[in-house]
Amino acid sequence: MNKLILAALAGTLAHALPTSAQTAEKIDAAALAKIRDEGMNRSKVMETAFYLTDVSGPRLANSDGLKRANEWTKKQLTQYGLANANIEPWGDFGRGWDIEKSYVAMTAPYYHTMVGAPKAWTPGTPGALRLPVVVMKAATTEADLDQYKGKLKGKIVVMNVPNPPKNAEGPDLKRYTEEELAKMAEPAAPRPAANTPDEAAMAARRAQAALRTKMTDMLMSEGAAAVLSARGGIYGTFNTTNGAPYAADAKPVLPEIEMTPEDQLRLIRLVEAGIPVEVEMETKTRFQSQDVKGYNVVAEIPGTDRKLKSEVVMLGGHIDSWHAATGATDNAAGVAVMMEAVRILKATGMKPRRTIRIALWGEEEQGLHGSRNYVKNNFGDPATMKLLPAHEKLSAYFNLDNGGGKIRGIYAQGNEAIAPIFAEWLKPLVDLGATTVTLRNTGSTDHIAFDAVGLPGFQFIQDGLDYFPQTHHTNQDTYDRLIADDLKQASVVVASFVYNAAMRDQKLPRKPLPTPVKPAQ
Amino acid sequence: MNKLILAALAGTLAHALPTSAQTAEKIDAAALAKIRDEGMNRSKVMETAFYLTDVSGPRLANSDGLKRANEWTKKQLTQYGLANANIEPWGDFGRGWDIEKSYVAMTAPYYHTMVGAPKAWTPGTPGALRLPVVVMKAATTEADLDQYKGKLKGKIVVMNVPNPPKNAEGPDLKRYTEEELAKMAEPAAPRPAANTPDEAAMAARRAQAALRTKMTDMLMSEGAAAVLSARGGIYGTFNTTNGAPYAADAKPVLPEIEMTPEDQLRLIRLVEAGIPVEVEMETKTRFQSQDVKGYNVVAEIPGTDRKLKSEVVMLGGHIDSWHAATGATDNAAGVAVMMEAVRILKATGMKPRRTIRIALWGEEEQGLHGSRNYVKNNFGDPATMKLLPAHEKLSAYFNLDNGGGKIRGIYAQGNEAIAPIFAEWLKPLVDLGATTVTLRNTGSTDHIAFDAVGLPGFQFIQDGLDYFPQTHHTNQDTYDRLIADDLKQASVVVASFVYNAAMRDQKLPRKPLPTPVKPAQ
């Protein structure tokens, strides 16, 4: 659809995609000024971020930290004056898991404390271990695995490091340039025709997965004591992930610590030089299976227009995080901004015509579980495209989950009718740096759950800052990384968008309904 | 002396400071080509760096790690074919100290392993502690201290963080631009007349030091259990230093862990929000007072010219490091390069006219002890300027200790007669990026010990890379930071300079002898 043209908004730096037809969006300048004043001058966003990060702690799916954060946000949203604040189960998730002790050090050839944390859902060690290490290289065939048979019993197994630490290119804090934003606003090149699936590549991936399962089984059956692994990181950071399924009936695995590549590579270099290496480690992890449900936190500012109040504008972000830090940029930042946006709307006494609903999603990091199940429970099932009555009533969902950077615009997610409306909405925000509408899709977060059933779901464009490689899923995703000015700006932009959507005469335009898709196996 | 002019060497990128009088340095192009071939194509510098870092471990003054490194370098230099390799005591240093366990975690309001290490020469904890924390702010008066009386008993005291973590400006790996090098080569502006000492500032510093002593005494007398402190760092790195004197008769202090500012600031924010915080820690440190001597490792390539072999060209760098990492950029890099330079000279069968002597200094980090005492024992005492006979015989000392970056030139240390000689020596190295002679002084490392008694002592100009803020004195100064190409280049440049100095008809020119100076109290 090449009717779209790149047009910098006259007299501004905006990069947007209006159609040639003029839109006539009513903008309530006085209301937006109030929103900006509250958000910039009486912000609570850093205080909110503090409670989400430092006070709640790591917020792994179904962990104690996530429970603390859910309870606190429910209470806080109620204090802001929102109605119907609730911690809603979305269905069955799996086991809860928390770390109670994490210690790992090299004790020979000399003492060196190492930096790491248990992989999620792995068991702890049986007390303190002090054992020799064996290095295991990446296996590409079963024969590669066979060579370790008989050599792993009573050993701590150090896995190879696929990503040695690299120095970051460019500055730590990255922001979009005007040129990059202009490029994003350009009409996308037509996509190449969908290829037939690469059967060979898929088969190779299946074989690799089967080999990994074999390796896990072999580590257990050969009697290895524990595993030390590393996936990447920079200057002492490490990346975290899960080391075992969270399903209540998951097969047992070994205790496993994910570590900095620096510590890991030192062990590997020493072993490869023929120097005996010994590691001391003690981890305790706690599982709970009493409550295997997953939850979202939901609250509302009820609409005030008799006809429109049954319609809903949603905003949200995921509240869960990985476990080695406090998930400040992923995604306490997004939650703090969304909570601040509804706080601003309440504090300024706005009377939205439509109902505004905030949702803080659980279990996003394991596959958008919170949002996908919320959509399925409330709006419709993408597998069948059987829609529920509320599907008709949702105007839009706005999401924030790309780090702590300020908002530079919005991904219109291929919705050509909505792009010129967003362009109009950005006009009063251009001086804050929010300028750009791109038709491009972005993925990997909760608006996808809405998009999948044909509902308008959007993620904002955010400055990247140090999301990659320093903070995303690392042990250094802490409160220290948050920049108050960026979060204030984002709060004002989101509150303005949500307010505009809640006041607009019509619901926002939609893309054609998608055809049913089977979820990926 | 403004006869000096900035002159880019014709047809090159070199920035240098020749006098208007032409120098006539004999350059043995064939020898330099052999040196370069050996250094670039059969380098051992990374292998040497591996043994200094990973295999030896942290090399704190008078630690086990430093002993391992000293023994290994002596053996290795002998294997290279050097004569008279020896681990020479330079005098009394103080106690040896090593870490045997280091564990610290927050256990309330939730569990979080923290990243840190005992400060050097602090005692361990009496077993595992699990205690509430108290935050102590920077005291500027005794009254500030008094408010903590009665509140510290049985507590873990968290000290304020003077340097919160900051994102690095610019790229992680910094290299000199041609413009920066040209600027360095410009004649320095005349120095302002020495001011009378700022008595007020000095008095303030003395008062602050006295207050620190009072605070340390108070922590002991009030019965605090341990101290957690932080001085700076970035993305989970932390800086290390000593937490107690190394003197054998030093007063007792509390166990103290130096930590990442991120971990420290989280504790402080929680306590300041009124949330009770508990910390678990267990450290074991081991002192030894059997051998309180400090040592340097010294070895020679004997000169071959009957008249000149009693004269000496020295090269070196300090081999000790701080204790939370393996001191890769500070200063295994410098030692590896200097060892590689003498290896290259032996491997290429060079027959230097003068004797070449390598010295790997101990106890630099505590105040250039190794080099200062070596100079005092062998060449002269800067306090009296009483000189020993060997003073006359030293041509020059070349040092490397500014991280792992390649050599971009040399600091002539105000020696105007030597600048044009160095400029000639750089000409064959310009294509390697070593281009610049600056008359400027640089300090903070071992060439200063030579300069202080009027001997020509020089530090090379090196690309900064990530020395600041990521690696210098941090827990992330590991082998991973070293770049083979930079170290190979530096080895070739150093070997070339040392060879030129050893072959030159005359010793290198000197500055006028300094007047005796009392060492700083």
Side-chain angles (χ1 to χ4, degrees), chain B residues 26-43:
Chain B
K26 280 184 263 178
I27 301 287
D28 182 344
L32 296 189
K34 273 193 195 173
I35 287 171
R36 186 186 287 217
D37 174 54
E38 179 67 25
M40 293 300 187
N41 300 319
R42 288 173 295 283
S43 178

Side-chain angles (χ1 to χ4, degrees), chain B residues 398-450:
Chain B
F398 297 99
N399 191 74
L400 207 63
D401 179 26
N402 288 355
K406 70 177 174 181
I407 290 176
R408 306 302 303 276
I410 189 162
Y411 294 94
Q413 211 71 19
N415 184 333
E416 293 174 9
I418 218 165
I421 299 168
F422 286 164
E424 291 293 312
W425 289 3
L426 285 174
K427 278 185 181 174
L429 301 165
V430 160
D431 65 309
L432 296 178
T435 58
T436 302
V437 180
T438 177
L439 273 177
R440 295 185 195 176
N441 294 321
T442 189
S444 301
T445 183
D446 297 293
H447 68 291
I448 290 297
F450 292 81

Side-chain angles (χ1 to χ4, degrees), chain A residues 41 282 318:
Chain A
N41 300 319
E282 183 178 5
H318 74 88

Side-chain angles (χ1 to χ4, degrees), chain A residues 95-348:
Chain A
R95 295 180 293 176
W97 180 89
D98 287 90
I99 299 173
E100 298 197 324
K101 176 146 194 176
S102 172
Y103 166 70
V104 59
M106 183 175 80
T107 46
Y110 50 87
Y111 184 86
H112 166 62
T113 316
M114 300 194 285
V115 176
K119 285 184 96 164
W121 291 286
T122 57
T125 56
L129 306 177
R130 190 160 175 161
L131 295 169
V133 311
V134 167
V135 170
M136 198 163 167
K137 292 192 181 170
T140 52
T141 66
E142 278 198 51
D144 290 341
L145 286 180
D146 287 344
Q147 66 180 298
Y148 294 101
K149 281 190 178 157
K151 296 177 184 170
L152 304 177
K153 190 167 178 61
K155 299 290 200 304
I156 292 175
V157 179
V158 175
M159 307 302 293
N160 70 310
V161 178
N163 299 306
K166 277 185 302 198
N167 299 297
E169 289 177 18
D172 288 345
L173 295 186
K174 290 163 280 291
R175 292 193 184 276
Y176 281 112
T177 62
E178 291 304 324
E179 291 68 31
E180 288 166 334
L181 290 171
K183 184 90 187 156
M184 288 181 81
E186 285 173 13
R191 293 199 189 146
N195 289 320
T196 48
D198 183 342
E199 290 295 345
M202 282 167 66
R205 274 198 293 277
R206 278 194 300 271
Q208 200 57 40
L211 198 62
R212 272 200 301 274
T213 304
K214 274 208 165 53
M215 189 185 72
T216 307
D217 293 347
M218 189 181 90
L219 288 167
M220 291 291 289
S221 63
E222 290 282 312
V227 176
L228 304 180
S229 58
R231 290 192 313 143
I234 181 168
Y235 294 116
T237 65
F238 64 90
N239 292 336
T240 48
T241 183
N242 55 320
Y246 42 81
D249 58 353
K251 276 200 297 189
V253 297
L254 288 177
E256 179 166 355
I257 292 184
E258 204 150 29
M259 291 167 44
T260 64
E262 288 88 350
D263 283 340
Q264 193 84 334
L265 287 164
R266 190 192 305 193
L267 300 179
I268 292 171
R269 287 189 300 264
L270 287 169
V271 169
E272 289 182 348
I275 295 165
V277 175
E278 184 189 71
V279 161
E280 181 177 60
M281 64 187 278
E282 183 178 5
T283 60
K284 288 181 201 166
T285 63
R286 178 169 42 79
F287 290 88
Q288 71 83 8
S289 300
Q290 283 75 55
D291 180 2
V292 297
K293 286 198 186 67
Y295 295 89
N296 301 312
V297 181
V298 179
E300 292 182 336
I301 303 176
T304 57
D305 181 296
R306 194 176 51 82
K307 279 191 187 162
L308 298 185
K309 69 183 178 184
S310 64
E311 294 181 0
V312 178
V313 176
M314 288 191 70
L315 69 163
H318 74 88
I319 187 168
D320 66 311
S321 77
W322 285 103
H323 56 288
T326 53
T329 66
D330 188 13
N331 182 33
V335 169
V337 165
M338 292 323 205
M339 288 180 68
E340 176 70 359
V342 294
R343 188 198 70 76
I344 290 169
L345 294 171
K346 285 301 294 182
T348 48

Side-chain angles (χ1 to χ4, degrees), chain A residues 54 235 262 269 466 481, chain B residues 54 235 262 269 466 481:
Chain A
D54 287 340
Y235 294 116
E262 288 88 350
R269 287 189 300 264
D466 49 2
R481 309 280 100 86
Chain B
D54 288 339
Y235 294 115
E262 287 89 350
R269 288 190 300 264
D466 49 1
R481 309 281 99 85

Side-chain angles (χ1 to χ4, degrees), chain B residues 6-90:
Chain B
L6 168 64
L9 295 177
T12 73
L13 289 170
H15 311 290
L17 286 155
T19 61
S20 48
Q22 282 293 56
T23 60
E25 289 297 303
K26 280 184 263 178
I27 301 287
D28 182 344
L32 296 189
K34 273 193 195 173
I35 287 171
R36 186 186 287 217
D37 174 54
E38 179 67 25
M40 293 300 187
N41 300 319
R42 288 173 295 283
S43 178
K44 298 277 187 192
V45 72
M46 291 301 282
E47 186 181 317
T48 303
F50 165 65
Y51 277 90
L52 289 166
T53 56
D54 288 339
V55 179
S56 301
R59 301 178 308 283
L60 187 72
N62 202 2
S63 66
D64 288 354
L66 184 55
K67 282 194 194 75
R68 278 190 294 270
N70 285 348
E71 294 292 345
W72 181 82
T73 50
K74 176 187 165 181
K75 184 172 66 87
Q76 199 63 18
L77 289 167
T78 304
Q79 279 186 12
Y80 290 160
L82 274 72
N84 309 323
N86 202 10
I87 302 172
E88 295 185 358
W90 54 254

